[in-house]
Every structure is written in structure tokens, then in C-alpha cells.
Amino acid sequence: GQNIDQPTEMTATEGAIVQINCTYQTSGFNGLFWYQQHAGEAPTFLSYNVLDGLEEKGRFSSFLSRSKGYSYLLLKELQMKDSASYLCVPLDSNYQLIWGAGTKLIIKP
Amino acid sequence: GAVVSQHPSWVICKSGTSVKIECRSLDFQATTMFWYRQFPKQSLMLMATSNEGSKATYEQGVEKDKFLINHASLTLSTLTVTSAHPEDSSFYICGLKRGEDNSPLHFGNGTRLTVT
């Protein structure tokens, strides 16, 4: 079956760094997306990884290890507006997006 | 800037009535659009794939006669929830890809449907 495992909830402090881990099992693999979803809103695209390694985009970085079925999203210099759910979304062999419940990140001052 | 426009943002309707949700591609001719539903604290669930000029492809368990999809042009897809019931109350979101199959999905702002 297809499965995504992320922590349900994490808490971090404004200005700090947080790493959200994700492990996945899919039928084939064509890359992995990270999305941000604020409460009551639709998800917005953050990053895409298809090759192993780290992709950096401003305060956000995403890492992928295909052999381990593992990815993480690293958020630096946390701001209050970063409080949201973060969704790790792999793409299977049919290019279907596999959605989980994500990680709710709470930022405290 | 925005890629997808979805309307309305929220709607309240009475049980038994129908509601139409519009999804517009603002800067791209989208042959395919995707309709999702999300219940509180749950993951997004793909309902159907909307194909311009042909019938939509529905996911297992989604009633095609209840959730009518029309994709009559390259910039507009509509989802009509027919004979709505309180259990249809949910957050409906449309999305599209602007490129290849591994392109990111860009979403509209979503429609919060409440059926009383």
C-alpha cells in the first residue's frame, strides 16, 4: 500500500529552526512535493525534489533520500506566519499525488 | 500571482438544493483540472479529474450523478453538488498543473460548503 508518515504536530519558537521529517512508501516514485496549508485555506506549493539531496529556497529547504524513502523540510528563522500544516506529498508511478494529514506546526513567540 | 480562481469562497445552502462551484485557470489553458474535498483535520481526497471536452474521471466511491463536473472550456471547470445533504458539508478545492505530470499542483482558494 501507499503510506506517508509525518509527526502530527510540532511546536517551535519564533526565530528558531525546525525540521519536519517524512517517510513514505509508494508504488513507484516520481518525486516529492512539500505544501504549506494555513487553517481554512487551500495548500500552496513550497518545493519539489526528485533527485537525492538538498534543495534550498530562501528560508525553506527540502531534502530527499530516495533509497531511504525519506524527506525533510527545514524552516529557518521561523516567523509567526509559518504556523500552518506542512504536507509531504509523494508522486507515485502514475503521477498520482499521495496526500497525508500533514504536520501541524505551531510557532510560539 | 494567482494561477487559479475559485468561486464562491463560501456558500451556505439548504438540504436538497444544488450548488455550483467554478474553477478558472487565469493564465493557462488547462486541459485537465482536479477536484478535491477536505473534511476537518483530514487529508485532501481527490474526487475527480476534469477533462476538457470529455467526461470527468471519478475516484472510487464518488457518485458521478451527485457531483456533476463540466469542463466546457480550457479555462473553466465547474463542480455542481446536486441534492446537497449536511454530510456534503466540506471544503472543496480545485487545482491544475501548468506543465508536465510532475509539475506542482496549483490550487484555487477553495470553497467552504455548509449544508443546513
Side-chain angles (χ1 to χ4, degrees), chain A residues 30 33 35 37 39-45 48 50 87 91 94-97 99-102 104, chain B residues 36 38 41-46 49 59 91 93 97 101-110 112:
Chain A
N30 279 299
F33 296 97
Y35 279 84
Q37 186 175 24
E41 298 181 10
T44 56
F45 166 71
Y48 173 68
V50 66
L87 311 173
L91 203 56
N94 294 320
Y95 294 94
Q96 295 291 316
L97 295 162
W99 298 88
K104 181 179 181 180
Chain B
Y36 284 83
Q38 186 177 33
K41 299 186 178 181
Q42 294 189 21
S43 61
L44 269 72
M45 296 289 294
L46 180 64
T49 302
E59 295 299 303
F91 190 46
I93 317 171
K97 296 183 180 182
D101 287 335
N102 61 347
S103 299
L105 197 58
H106 294 280
F107 292 99
N109 288 333
R112 177 78 56 195

Side-chain angles (χ1 to χ4, degrees), chain A residues 7-85:
Chain A
T8 303
E9 188 173 298
M10 298 181 70
T11 302
T13 305
E14 189 177 15
I17 299 172
V18 71
Q19 178 173 312
I20 302 174
N21 294 320
C22 168
T23 56
Y24 61 89
Q25 292 177 313
T26 55
S27 302
F29 182 77
N30 279 299
L32 185 143
F33 296 97
W34 281 94
Y35 279 84
Q36 179 191 61
Q37 186 175 24
H38 284 101
E41 298 181 10
T44 56
F45 166 71
L46 290 178
S47 67
Y48 173 68
N49 295 68
V50 66
L51 300 177
D52 286 354
L54 187 68
E55 294 278 345
E56 296 185 75
K57 191 185 289 186
R59 293 190 299 115
F60 294 2
S61 302
S62 55
F63 172 84
L64 176 68
S65 169
R66 295 178 62 142
S67 62
K68 295 182 179 178
Y70 167 70
S71 176
Y72 69 71
L73 182 69
L74 188 72
L75 293 79
K76 302 176 183 177
E77 301 169 18
L78 287 169
Q79 301 175 10
M80 297 303 293
K81 67 178 182 179
D82 297 331
S83 291
S85 288

Side-chain angles (χ1 to χ4, degrees), chain B residues 8-82:
Chain B
S9 299
W10 59 270
V11 58
I12 301 172
C13 71
K14 292 188 175 181
S15 190
T17 61
S18 295
V19 174
K20 180 185 282 188
I21 302 170
E22 292 187 350
C23 182
R24 293 184 182 275
S25 173
L26 297 180
D27 65 350
F28 180 74
Q29 294 186 320
T31 56
T32 303
M33 293 188 186
F34 302 87
W35 286 97
Y36 284 83
R37 179 168 56 180
Q38 186 177 33
F39 292 106
K41 299 186 178 181
Q42 294 189 21
S43 61
L44 269 72
M45 296 289 294
L46 180 64
M47 298 177 67
T49 302
S50 170
N51 304 299
E52 188 269 336
S54 65
K55 292 182 180 180
T57 304
Y58 289 82
E59 295 299 303
Q60 193 172 9
V62 178
E63 300 173 58
K64 63 180 171 82
D65 295 329
K66 178 171 179 61
F67 299 99
L68 301 179
I69 291 174
N70 186 305
H71 194 152
S73 78
L74 290 171
T75 58
L76 176 64
S77 175
T78 61
L79 169 68
T80 301
V81 183
T82 63

Side-chain angles (χ1 to χ4, degrees), chain B residues 83-105:
Chain B
S83 187
H85 290 283
E87 56 265 32
D88 298 323
S89 297
S90 188
F91 190 46
Y92 292 85
I93 317 171
C94 71
L96 60 83
K97 296 183 180 182
R98 297 169 74 181
E100 301 297 321
D101 287 335
N102 61 347
S103 299
L105 197 58

